[in-house]
Amino acid sequence: MKDKRKRKPQKAVVVPEENNNEEKNFVFGHHATVEALQAGRGNKLFLQEDARGEKIEQLKGLAQTQAVPVKWVPKQKLDTLSDHGVHQGMLLAITPYEYLTLDGLLEQTTAEAPFLLILDSLEDPHNFGSILRTADASGVNGVIIPKHRSVGITPVVTKASTGAVEYVPIARVTNLSQAIKQLKDAGYWVFGTDMEGTDYRQWKVDGPIALIIGNEGRGMSAGLKKDVDEMLTIPMTGHVQSLNAGVAAGLLMFEVLRKRSGS
């Protein structure tokens, strides 16, 4: 592993979401709406006109605190805005999500032994949201995604993450291979996932590390496999020799937490 080079301090730059379509600027469901309001990203809160209860009162209070206007609308309106998602009678119009640059992510990652996750062209928003939720729970310091041919932060991702999207820093990059080179130059060991490799239970997780999770169907791209320091595998005994990307990512994230906590 290369010695960690001194990095010139840089401003933590954010990259605004380019596609500002209205449909991508909503979150819905209780947890996602609460977290977005508390993060100061709310523009207008839509509540179902006949909705009542403690959760509704909580949202009204948060909206008032954040000076976010509240509009009572029919359920049909919420169904349309959420694309018939499970909105629970609440939906929040938000400012577009702001991604970090890789420089910005590295600058704000101050952990002694940071752990980053690289998602190689993940396409399923539910998988992405689930991974973000697990990343927050297991202490991952940041997530890196490609700018093209990959799911970004959408209402479905936000809801599936139960608000974790507001806590896990996400960098979006143009080229994952270049990003991996930059991570190596910064002193990171980069690990990939495949059917063949080192048993993940033997994984050495000391120091700065980055883990690549491949596409749901194709796995890791061939180009990235040449860039990693070591491939990891999860031994299986069943008839189906593959795991859902979110499940595999969760198992590996908690393995790092387990090893680093000494349990």
Side-chain angles (χ1 to χ4, degrees):
M1 185 173 103
K2 298 180 181 179
D3 293 333
K4 186 169 182 179
R5 301 176 182 176
K6 292 183 179 180
R7 299 179 55 81
K8 182 180 179 180
Q10 300 181 45
K11 184 178 180 181
V13 181
V14 293
V15 182
E17 169 63 70
E18 291 180 350
N19 188 348
N20 290 337
N21 291 338
E22 188 180 52
E23 66 178 7
K24 290 195 174 183
N25 294 335
F26 288 105
V27 297
F28 53 85
H30 181 252
H31 289 294
T33 301
V34 167
E35 298 296 348
L37 277 171
Q38 290 179 334
R41 295 181 61 210
N43 288 331
K44 182 183 289 187
L45 177 63
F46 295 86
L47 296 175
Q48 189 169 313
E49 56 189 3
D50 58 351
R52 300 290 184 271
E54 183 178 337
K55 291 181 179 179
I56 295 297
E57 293 302 315
Q58 178 192 19
L59 289 176
K60 286 167 57 181
L62 283 172
Q64 183 177 9
T65 300
Q66 298 285 345
V68 173
V70 178
K71 185 174 182 179
W72 297 86
V73 297
K75 179 178 181 297
Q76 183 180 3
K77 175 72 171 177
L78 296 179
D79 290 342
T80 300
L81 290 175
S82 67
D83 194 23
H84 298 279
V86 184
H87 52 70
Q88 299 174 291
M90 57 201 70
L91 182 145
L92 181 69
I94 59 171
T95 55
Y97 185 83
E98 292 185 334
Y99 300 92
L100 292 166
T101 63
L102 182 54
D103 281 327
L105 177 61
L106 292 178
E107 179 189 345
Q108 74 170 46
T109 303
T110 58
E112 183 176 343
F115 175 27
L116 301 180
L117 205 62
I118 301 171
L119 304 183
D120 179 15
S121 303
L122 213 64
E123 297 174 344
D124 187 330
H126 293 94
N127 269 341
F128 189 16
S130 174
I131 287 172
L132 289 176
R133 183 177 183 178
T134 307
D136 179 55
S138 61
V140 170
N141 300 105
V143 174
I144 300 168
I145 64 173
K147 188 174 183 179
H148 305 292
R149 296 180 295 279
S150 174
V151 64
I153 300 301
T154 68
V156 174
V157 170
T158 303
K159 187 174 191 304
S161 79
T162 62
V165 68
E166 304 295 344
Y167 299 100
V168 181
I170 302 170
R172 193 168 62 165
V173 301
T174 302
N175 186 297
L176 284 180
S177 289
Q178 292 178 4
I180 290 171
K181 182 181 184 303
Q182 185 174 344
L183 289 175
K184 287 185 174 184
D185 288 343
Y188 282 76
W189 281 100
V190 179
F191 297 87
T193 48
D194 200 7
M195 293 299 296
E196 295 183 4
T198 301
D199 187 322
Y200 80 101
R201 291 167 293 187
Q202 307 303 318
W203 185 10
K204 305 298 183 183
V205 300
D206 300 329
I209 61 173
L211 172 68
I212 303 172
I213 299 297
N215 173 272
E216 292 92 345
R218 302 183 300 274
M220 273 183 59
S221 59
L224 293 189
K225 288 182 180 180
K226 295 183 293 185
D227 295 330
V228 303
D229 294 302
E230 186 175 7
M231 298 297 292
L232 303 171
T233 190
I234 301 173
M236 287 171 275
T237 59
H239 297 88
V240 180
Q241 293 296 301
S242 65
L243 289 175
N244 169 275
V247 173
L251 182 61
L252 293 168
M253 282 186 273
F254 274 104
E255 178 67 5
V256 174
L257 178 63
R258 184 186 71 81
K259 287 179 180 291
R260 289 185 169 181
S261 63
S263 58

